[in-house]
Amino acid sequence: MTFCVLAIGIIAYVLFQYPQPGVADQGDFDRVMSASGLELTAKDKNDPNFDRFYKYIVTDYKISDLSIQNFFVRIISTSMAYLITLISLICKIFGQNIFKTGYLSIAYSLIYVFSMLMIIKYINIKNKIKLIVLCLVILFVFLDGNYLVWFNSLYGEAMMITTFMLLIASYIYYIYHQYVLKSQEKIVRRIVFLFIATFLFLGSKLQVLTSLPIIVYILGKSLWENKTLINKSNFKILCIILCIIVIYPIKINIFNGAISKDTQYNSVFYGILNGSENPRQDLIDMGLNPEMALEAGKHAYLNKEEYVKYVPRTEISEREFYSKMSNGKLVKFYITHPVRFIQGMEYTAHHAFFTGTSLGKYKRGYSEEPIRNFNRFTKWSSIRSELLHKTFSFIALVYLMMMGISLFNYIKNKESKEIKAKIQLLWGVMLIGVFQFPMPFVGNGQADTTKQLYLFNFVFDIMLVVSVFWCFNKIIDLINFKRNN
């Protein structure tokens, strides 16, 4: 109860104290709005001074009428659409036609705090001092203002981390009942809870598609080890749901094909060719026209006149670039040019450990001068950004140390299914972070690197919390051992 009160207090201070903060749109909201049935209000549309991008936040949106066509679009789009649609329906029931991102903040906060409470309750820590320390660390790290401020926006980052926390909570809940209580009752309900959390997480943002193999393993394992406890009809239904979960994020990727083309352009021109000593040779190595070196160092969002010839999403670019480029060629290039890959990872590491943003944080009505700084309960993100080494070698060292210590404990506790399952979960979380780290540079060049490292930073925070708690746990055990001897 104390944890819940403190969590609500922090969230209220960060998100709901006047002036209420958020994050300004940098061009990402239109996709979410079209998929979720939201549009700009008439007041904003008719305001000649209305400025929705980069500088100021917009919190009020008109709720569009739900047609059959729009309904099917929402099904195959981001999972944010489900949450926004549910909130919009509640608004409609109460005769309100305006959707406020503050409502979304409340929904995210409920999911987030609920997930944390689940983790704390079912992590199975019996020592009160250890549990209190864990609660305080969780509050300090995961309720950092630079995480929470994204809740009051239409960015997918908030949906991503809240549902990821829910996914972790659902699996810890499963582990507790499976290996601690050894309960065979309501096993289908626990697996369904795990499936729902997974579905919401995989649909939150395109970038989590790389997590699919790890999550499929976790879900498949939970099904397989209970196959004798689930009746055949329910088992078949769960297998079908698992297939839907696998297909869903792939369908989202196809649905957002236009965005994929932009990232593909960035990955080559703003990534591989950006700063290259020989961009023509790089293009030849990828089987592309070396003349396209004219556009080296350019991303896909410039004005048309800023390109020499190969403008993104034009016929000539479609013919000379998009039709000939593939993710396979991208991977092959970095495999055959490992030094370039390491250089890219060093660039990525330099932008790690920062969860803030330079986008506007408040409404225009509060300040005509855009306010980009934000410092409500942001002590942890400041410490992380200032003290952690932003180098590829440091990140690799932390991962290797975590892997080594966890593997030692895995072998040491090979008779405990509970501990082994928790360590396997930690490995899964770590791998999700590993896959997230190279993706911004490899998949999008130097465009928006900091924002795309959001989930990696969240995973790294999880690793740090686990490390700190493990060290504290060992200290307490040592103190107790000396007292008893």
Side-chain angles (χ1 to χ4, degrees):
M1 178 60 71
T2 304
F3 176 89
C4 194
V5 171
L6 289 173
I8 292 172
I10 293 169
I11 292 170
Y13 165 68
V14 174
L15 289 179
F16 298 103
Q17 178 183 249
Y18 179 83
Q20 294 181 353
V23 183
D25 183 11
Q26 66 170 18
D28 293 12
F29 289 8
D30 282 332
R31 178 176 59 88
V32 174
M33 289 165 62
S34 62
S36 307
L38 301 178
E39 58 184 85
L40 295 175
T41 62
K43 178 184 176 182
D44 288 338
K45 286 180 180 178
N46 297 326
D47 184 356
N49 298 318
F50 179 62
D51 190 352
R52 58 176 290 208
F53 295 113
Y54 303 108
K55 298 178 181 178
Y56 312 100
I57 67 170
V58 178
T59 59
D60 294 7
Y61 297 88
K62 180 185 175 184
I63 301 171
S64 305
D65 294 329
L66 181 61
S67 64
I68 296 176
Q69 181 181 354
N70 290 337
F71 177 75
F72 283 108
V73 168
R74 296 184 195 190
I75 290 177
I76 61 172
S77 64
T78 169
S79 57
M80 282 181 67
Y82 303 143
L83 193 56
I84 292 173
T85 298
L86 177 61
I87 295 170
S88 297
L89 288 173
I90 295 173
C91 290
K92 289 280 191 179
I93 290 172
F94 286 94
Q96 184 173 332
N97 199 39
I98 297 297
F99 177 93
K100 296 178 179 291
T101 53
Y103 303 151
L104 199 56
S105 298
I106 294 171
Y108 285 142
S109 299
L110 290 173
I111 295 170
Y112 206 41
V113 174
F114 170 75
S115 302
M116 292 176 188
L117 286 171
M118 289 278 290
I119 292 170
I120 290 166
K121 182 176 181 179
Y122 295 107
I123 198 69
N124 195 26
I125 298 171
K126 297 173 182 177
N127 185 293
K128 286 187 177 180
I129 295 176
K130 294 178 182 179
L131 195 59
I132 289 170
V133 169
L134 178 63
C135 289
L136 292 175
V137 173
I138 286 175
L139 287 170
F140 183 62
V141 173
F142 297 113
L143 290 182
D144 184 89
N146 279 323
Y147 279 136
L148 296 180
V149 73
W150 295 84
F151 286 20
N152 192 28
S153 74
L154 295 181
Y155 285 106
E157 276 71 15
M159 186 72 178
M160 182 170 60
I161 66 167
T162 53
T163 54
F164 187 49
M165 189 69 84
L166 184 66
L167 172 58
I168 293 170
S170 66
Y171 197 62
I172 288 177
Y173 175 76
Y174 169 82
I175 289 170
Y176 180 78
H177 285 83
Q178 188 80 359
Y179 303 121
V180 179
L181 298 183
K182 297 181 180 178
S183 172
Q184 297 181 358
E185 297 179 2
K186 300 178 181 178
I187 184 63
V188 172
R189 186 180 69 177
R190 293 195 290 274
I191 293 175
V192 168
F193 178 33
L194 182 60
F195 278 22
I196 291 172
T198 302
F199 183 82
L200 294 174
F201 171 64
L202 288 174
S204 61
K205 277 183 74 71
L206 293 176
Q207 69 184 76
V208 304
L209 182 63
T210 57
S211 310
L212 189 59
I214 302 158
I215 292 174
V216 167
Y217 170 78
I218 291 174
L219 299 185
K221 179 177 178 291
S222 65
L223 266 181
W224 182 256
E225 62 188 10
N226 293 288
K227 62 182 184 298
T228 58
L229 303 176
I230 305 171
N231 65 56
K232 289 184 178 179
S233 59
N234 285 340
F235 187 79
K236 288 179 181 178
I237 292 171
L238 288 172
C239 286
I240 292 171
I241 295 173
L242 179 58
C243 292
I244 293 172
I245 289 172
V246 173
I247 295 170
Y248 176 55
I250 298 173
K251 281 288 186 181
I252 292 178
N253 192 50
I254 296 171
F255 180 75
N256 291 283
I259 295 176
S260 297
K261 284 191 174 184
D262 288 344
T263 57
Q264 193 175 53
Y265 191 96
N266 291 337
S267 67
V268 174
F269 295 98
Y270 205 48
I272 292 174
L273 305 185
N274 193 8
S276 171
E277 294 179 359
N278 194 343
R280 293 180 64 86
Q281 185 59 51
D282 291 341
L283 288 164
I284 291 170
D285 292 345
M286 289 183 284
L288 300 173
N289 185 350
E291 185 189 21
M292 289 191 292
L294 293 167
E295 314 296 356
K298 297 176 184 177
H299 55 74
Y301 306 110
L302 299 172
N303 294 323
K304 288 185 178 181
E305 58 270 16
E306 295 185 58
Y307 301 95
V308 178
K309 183 176 180 181
Y310 298 94
V311 182
R313 300 176 298 280
T314 57
E315 185 178 343
I316 186 171
S317 294
E318 185 68 45
R319 184 175 65 253
E320 296 292 330
F321 177 69
Y322 296 116
S323 64
K324 297 179 180 179
M325 190 58 196
S326 66
N327 290 334
K329 285 186 176 182
L330 202 61
V331 172
K332 182 182 177 182
F333 178 86
Y334 282 113
I335 290 174
T336 55
H337 299 73
V339 174
R340 299 287 294 280
F341 178 76
I342 297 298
Q343 289 172 347
M345 294 307 94
E346 285 293 354
Y347 170 85
T348 303
H350 183 70
H351 289 78
F353 310 136
F354 182 74
T355 46
T357 171
S358 60
L359 295 167
K361 302 297 188 302
Y362 299 99
K363 289 183 177 181
R364 187 170 191 167
Y366 172 70
S367 172
E368 279 293 328
E369 182 68 25
I371 300 175
R372 304 177 188 276
N373 295 326
F374 185 70
N375 56 7
R376 291 186 189 175
F377 202 72
T378 56
K379 191 63 179 178
W380 165 245
S381 54
S382 297
I383 293 171
R384 188 208 311 117
S385 181
E386 292 171 7
L387 296 185
L388 296 187
H389 294 281
K390 299 179 179 67
T391 61
F392 184 49
S393 57
F394 171 76
I395 292 170
L397 179 62
V398 172
Y399 264 90
L400 288 173
M401 289 177 63
M402 285 284 292
M403 192 66 202
I405 294 171
S406 60
L407 183 59
F408 172 79
N409 281 277
Y410 187 87
I411 296 170
K412 180 182 177 182
N413 297 280
K414 60 182 178 180
E415 302 301 324
S416 173
K417 291 184 177 180
E418 178 199 1
I419 294 176
K420 286 171 63 179
K422 288 177 181 177
I423 293 174
Q424 287 173 358
L425 174 60
L426 175 63
W427 288 345
V429 170
M430 289 170 63
L431 276 174
I432 288 172
V434 168
F435 292 153
Q436 287 294 309
F437 185 74
M439 187 179 60
F441 185 83
V442 173
N444 205 23
Q446 295 184 16
D448 217 12
T449 304
T450 301
K451 184 170 176 286
Q452 292 191 44
L453 284 172
Y454 193 81
L455 183 57
F456 167 80
N457 291 327
F458 191 76
V459 168
F460 206 84
D461 278 352
I462 292 173
M463 292 168 58
L464 292 178
V465 168
V466 170
S467 300
V468 168
F469 182 72
W470 182 82
C471 292
F472 180 79
N473 187 60
K474 290 300 177 183
I475 292 170
I476 293 296
D477 288 346
L478 182 62
I479 292 172
N480 290 334
F481 177 78
K482 287 185 175 181
R483 283 178 178 175
N484 296 328
N485 292 279

